């Protein structure tokens, strides 16, 4: 039975996106090097920026000034997140969809799309395939359809948590699904979701109306904009926002993401846990206006400026982008990436080495294996992490903000990153990846300042190598 959601908005819901104000900020903020440096100084103190301040950074065009922005973003990432990068994989559960988003191959009117929903047995099969290469964190993705109601989504989340093979298990299940009502959010929360992620796609009202036809479920701008506020009221306090870059002016979307983040912070005292900035990709039977496509250079600018505007929010860079660009942009403030991703339904066991456009939502730029991505991260001196400790110990929402402070990273995040990396190296890595990984672990362990924590971490790393002990979290 599919329950239709009620259409009740959050308490005192408001449309907090003022198109005229944001457009005017973009048009009327002139490049000013000394203002840029003042704003950068504020960011470097890890203070969230106001939209007017973000607009100052967006107005910087001079390449040398832009380079200063890039350098500050790199520095801020090092200060707040260190060199850890969290890894996850998307798992598409079903692509039936009642909406008709013009950019998406799953849209209702694309009669060529191969439609499929994984059966429970197929979910188990896909999860086992993901666990067998070492994944610990997934994001489940669904089209919008009455059959993917909150009850069904909760069921699939439970199925994923139940599936364990060998030493493999999924320790955190996030979801990217259409907005729900309060009761729906409570159901998925009870099933143990981590982050509830939803992208506004574009925050610009007229553009939104153009891409999401009236009369479709997604055609209701406000229902979607208010989605995370309802989630919060239903105690899903771990939220991910995002915009699909390429539908409207990228600077407008950046200002809107900052506005959304400030709105959640002011209203609920909790900002978003993550921001995503997917860029429009080619998709089967999709032919779009190219006017607002974002160049690689501007993409780098937007990632850096978002990093500087919302210092404590995780930033997700997806496999839509090419390996080369991902490698470069990683240092600008990214904290999470997906790897070894397949987005065809059933793709982890059926897709082989090529992409099949009729079966996927859009084309991926990076389909390297998890092991290959891990090796590259290690060679670039990152610590790839599968840590899920904060969420599992209740350090989310308000608490997450509290803990995202220096010292916490040294004493909790780094040791947890190292033990989860060790699990990967021992249980799943290729010999080449293991060799480079062990070197990084030795170096990072030596760098832990607190002697008690260092000794405890060393002991845990030894237990992982010598015994079956796993999931040893700080
Ligand atoms: N159907 C739900 C929804 O629309 O909210 C779940 C998410 S949808 C399967 C995942 C996301 O993919 C969308 O929010 C959109 O931003 C992104 N997407 C759709 N078409 C895309 C394209 N051609 N290129 C890049 N991203 C795309
Ligand atoms: Fe459906 Fe989501 Fe694609 Fe829109 S983006 S057509 S809602 S799957």
């Amino acid at each position: 039975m599919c329950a239709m959601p009620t259409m009740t908005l959050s308490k005192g819901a408001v449309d907090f996106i003022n198109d005229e104000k944001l457009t005017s900020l973009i048009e009327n903020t002139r490049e000013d090097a000394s203002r840029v440096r003042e704003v950068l100084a504020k960011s470097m103190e890890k203070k969230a920026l106001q939209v007017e301040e973000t607009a100052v950074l967006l107005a910087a065009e001079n390449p040398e000034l832009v380079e200063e922005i890039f350098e500050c973003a790199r520095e801020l990432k090092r200060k707040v997140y260190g060199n850890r990068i969290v890894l996850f994989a998307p798992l598409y559960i079903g692509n039936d969809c009642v909406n008709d988003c013009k950019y998406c191959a799953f849209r209702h009117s694309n009669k060529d799309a191969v439609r499929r929903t994984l059966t429970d047995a197929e979910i188990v099969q896909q999860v086992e395939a993901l666990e067998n290469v070492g994944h610990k964190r997934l994001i489940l993705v669904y089209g919008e359809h009455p059959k993917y109601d909150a009850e069904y989504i909760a069921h699939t989340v439970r199925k994923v948590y139940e599936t364990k093979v060998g030493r493999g298990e999924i320790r955190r299940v996030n979801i990217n699904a259409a907005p729900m009502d309060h009761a729906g959010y409570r159901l998925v929360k009870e099933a143990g979701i981590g982050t509830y992620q939803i992208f506004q796609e574009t925050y610009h009202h007229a553009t939104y109306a153009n891409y999401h036809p009236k009369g479709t479920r997604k055609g209701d701008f406000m229902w979607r904009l208010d989605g995370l506020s309802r989630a919060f009221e239903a105690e899903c306090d771990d939220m991910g926002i995002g915009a699909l870059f390429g539908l409207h002016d990228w600077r407008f979307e950046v200002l809107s993401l900052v506005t959304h983040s400030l709105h959640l912070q002011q209203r609920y005292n909790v900002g978003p846990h993550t921001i995503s900035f997917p860029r429009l990709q080619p998709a089967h039977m999709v032919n779009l206006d190219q006017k607002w496509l974002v160049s690689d250079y501007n993409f780098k600018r937007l990632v850096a400026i978002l990093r500087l505007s919302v210092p404590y929010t995780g930033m997700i860079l997806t496999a839509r982008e090419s390996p080369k660009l991902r490698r470069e942009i990683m240092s600008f403030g990214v904290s999470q990436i997906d790897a070894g991703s397949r987005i065809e339904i059933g793709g982890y066991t059926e897709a082989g080495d090529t992409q099949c456009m009729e079966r996927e939502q859009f084309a991926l730029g990076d389909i390297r294996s998890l092991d290959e991505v891990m090796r590259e991260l290690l060679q670039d001196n990152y610590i790839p992490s599968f840590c899920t400790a904060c969420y599992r110990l209740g350090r989310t929402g308000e608490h997450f903000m509290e803990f995202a402070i220096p010292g916490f990273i040294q004493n909790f995040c780094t040791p947890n990153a190292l033990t989860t990396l060790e699990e990967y190296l021992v249980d799943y890595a290729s010999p080449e990846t293991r060799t480079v990984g062990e070197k990084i672990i030795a170096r990072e362990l030596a760098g832990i300042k607190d002697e008690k924590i260092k000794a405890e971490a060393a002991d845990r790393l030894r237990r992982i190598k010598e015994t079956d002990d796993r999931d040893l979290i700080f």
Side-chain angles (χ1 to χ4, degrees), residues 346-359:
Y348 291 107
T349 54
E350 299 166 14
D353 293 336
T354 50
Q355 299 188 64
C356 173
M357 293 293 276
E358 290 92 306
R359 292 182 49 185

Side-chain angles (χ1 to χ4, degrees), residues 335-395:
S335 49
Q336 293 190 28
I337 62 168
D338 56 330
S341 301
R342 303 305 305 229
I343 57 173
E344 302 91 337
I345 315 283
Y348 291 107
T349 54
E350 299 166 14
D353 293 336
T354 50
Q355 299 188 64
C356 173
M357 293 293 276
E358 290 92 306
R359 292 182 49 185
E360 62 192 346
Q361 193 188 16
F362 48 81
L364 284 182
D366 185 358
I367 55 166
R368 291 174 298 165
S369 67
L370 175 61
D371 191 68
E372 229 180 312
V373 175
M374 293 287 287
R375 188 156 61 242
E376 182 180 274
L377 287 170
L378 290 162
Q379 282 161 347
D380 289 347
N381 286 311
Y382 289 107
I383 316 175
S385 168
F386 295 93
C387 179
T388 52
C390 279
Y391 141 79
R392 289 162 69 218
L393 298 178
R395 298 191 299 237

Side-chain angles (χ1 to χ4, degrees), residues 1-6 96 98 117 144-153 181 184 187 217:
M1 271 283 286
C2 306
M4 287 298 287
T6 62
D96 277 295
V98 293
T117 302
E144 180 161 7
H145 194 278
K147 68 186 184 192
Y148 310 140
D149 64 2
E151 185 70 67
Y152 173 77
I153 291 175
D181 61 6
L187 276 176
R217 298 265 286 262

Side-chain angles (χ1 to χ4, degrees), residues 5-6 8-11 149-155 157-158 175 178-194 196 227-237:
T6 62
T8 310
L9 295 176
S10 66
K11 277 189 211 87
D149 64 2
E151 185 70 67
Y152 173 77
I153 291 175
H155 167 77
V157 169
R158 286 190 292 267
I175 61 169
M180 301 175 204
D181 61 6
H182 291 81
Y185 286 122
R186 278 189 206 102
L187 276 176
V188 294
K189 176 77 183 171
E190 273 163 32
I193 62 159
Y196 169 64
L228 288 172
S229 302
R230 294 191 301 280
F232 185 85
E233 287 180 350
E235 286 171 30
C236 290
D237 60 359

Side-chain angles (χ1 to χ4, degrees), residues 92 94-108 115 141-144 176 178 201 212 218 224 244 361:
Y92 277 65
N95 67 352
D96 277 295
C97 195
V98 293
N99 291 321
D100 217 19
C101 314
K102 290 184 188 162
Y103 44 80
C104 178
F106 292 167
R107 71 189 184 285
H108 182 69
R115 304 280 168 191
V141 187
Y142 313 76
E144 180 161 7
N176 182 321
E201 319 298 10
H212 307 100
K218 198 158 161 181
R224 197 164 180 93
L244 179 56
Q361 193 188 16

Side-chain angles (χ1 to χ4, degrees), residues 154-441:
H155 167 77
T156 57
V157 169
R158 286 190 292 267
K159 193 76 348 252
V160 172
Y161 280 128
E162 274 164 22
T163 304
K164 297 179 200 268
V165 60
R167 284 172 171 165
E169 60 179 350
I170 299 301
R171 297 176 185 158
R172 180 177 173 111
V173 180
N174 299 330
I175 61 169
N176 182 321
M180 301 175 204
D181 61 6
H182 291 81
Y185 286 122
R186 278 189 206 102
L187 276 176
V188 294
K189 176 77 183 171
E190 273 163 32
I193 62 159
T195 306
Y196 169 64
Q197 182 188 68
I198 185 176
F199 307 151
Q200 187 62 24
E201 319 298 10
T202 173
Y203 286 87
H204 187 259
H205 291 74
T207 310
Y208 189 93
N210 175 34
Y211 281 101
H212 307 100
K214 216 168 156 203
T216 60
R217 298 265 286 262
K218 198 158 161 181
D220 186 340
F221 181 94
M222 193 55 199
W223 177 247
R224 197 164 180 93
L225 188 69
D226 186 57
L228 288 172
S229 302
R230 294 191 301 280
F232 185 85
E233 287 180 350
E235 286 171 30
C236 290
D237 60 359
D238 190 332
M239 303 171 283
I241 63 175
L244 179 56
F245 281 88
L247 302 179
H248 187 63
D249 187 341
W250 63 273
R251 296 165 303 173
F252 183 93
E253 308 297 8
V254 169
L255 291 181
S256 302
L257 287 166
V258 172
T259 306
H260 198 166
S261 174
L262 291 169
H263 174 80
L264 293 172
Q265 180 69 44
Q266 278 153 10
R267 194 158 199 144
Y268 305 111
N269 207 19
V270 180
H273 185 175
T274 56
I275 294 193
S276 301
F277 30 87
R279 216 166 29 151
L280 198 60
Q281 302 301 309
H284 187 59
M285 305 296 281
V286 167
N287 200 355
L288 294 179
D289 186 353
Q290 314 263 309
K291 179 174 176 200
W292 294 113
L293 290 188
V294 182
S295 67
D296 287 356
Y297 181 66
N298 285 339
F299 190 57
K300 284 191 248 175
R301 287 171 69 195
L302 80 85
V303 175
I305 293 171
L306 278 172
R307 169 69 303 146
L308 292 161
S309 302
V310 285
Y312 285 122
T313 305
M315 303 236 304
I316 302 182
L317 175 64
T318 70
R320 289 173 179 82
E321 305 300 336
S322 69
K324 185 165 169 282
L325 193 68
R326 295 233 283 174
R327 192 174 196 180
E328 190 184 348
I329 286 186
M330 206 94 73
S331 65
F332 283 46
V334 170
S335 49
Q336 293 190 28
I337 62 168
D338 56 330
S341 301
R342 303 305 305 229
I343 57 173
E344 302 91 337
I345 315 283
Y348 291 107
T349 54
E350 299 166 14
D353 293 336
T354 50
Q355 299 188 64
C356 173
M357 293 293 276
E358 290 92 306
R359 292 182 49 185
E360 62 192 346
Q361 193 188 16
F362 48 81
L364 284 182
D366 185 358
I367 55 166
R368 291 174 298 165
S369 67
L370 175 61
D371 191 68
E372 229 180 312
V373 175
M374 293 287 287
R375 188 156 61 242
E376 182 180 274
L377 287 170
L378 290 162
Q379 282 161 347
D380 289 347
N381 286 311
Y382 289 107
I383 316 175
S385 168
F386 295 93
C387 179
T388 52
C390 279
Y391 141 79
R392 289 162 69 218
L393 298 178
R395 298 191 299 237
T396 61
E398 209 169 342
H399 306 290
F400 176 85
M401 307 300 283
E402 205 178 300
F403 285 112
I405 50 171
F408 183 81
I409 290 175
Q410 262 282 321
N411 296 335
F412 294 86
C413 303
T414 301
N416 283 334
L418 295 182
T419 51
T420 57
L421 173 59
E422 188 70 273
E423 290 179 353
Y424 176 81
L425 297 178
V426 172
D427 296 338
Y428 306 102
S430 64
E432 300 84 342
T433 305
R434 182 160 181 187
T435 305
V436 40
E438 293 294 358
K439 278 192 201 136
I440 296 281
I441 290 182

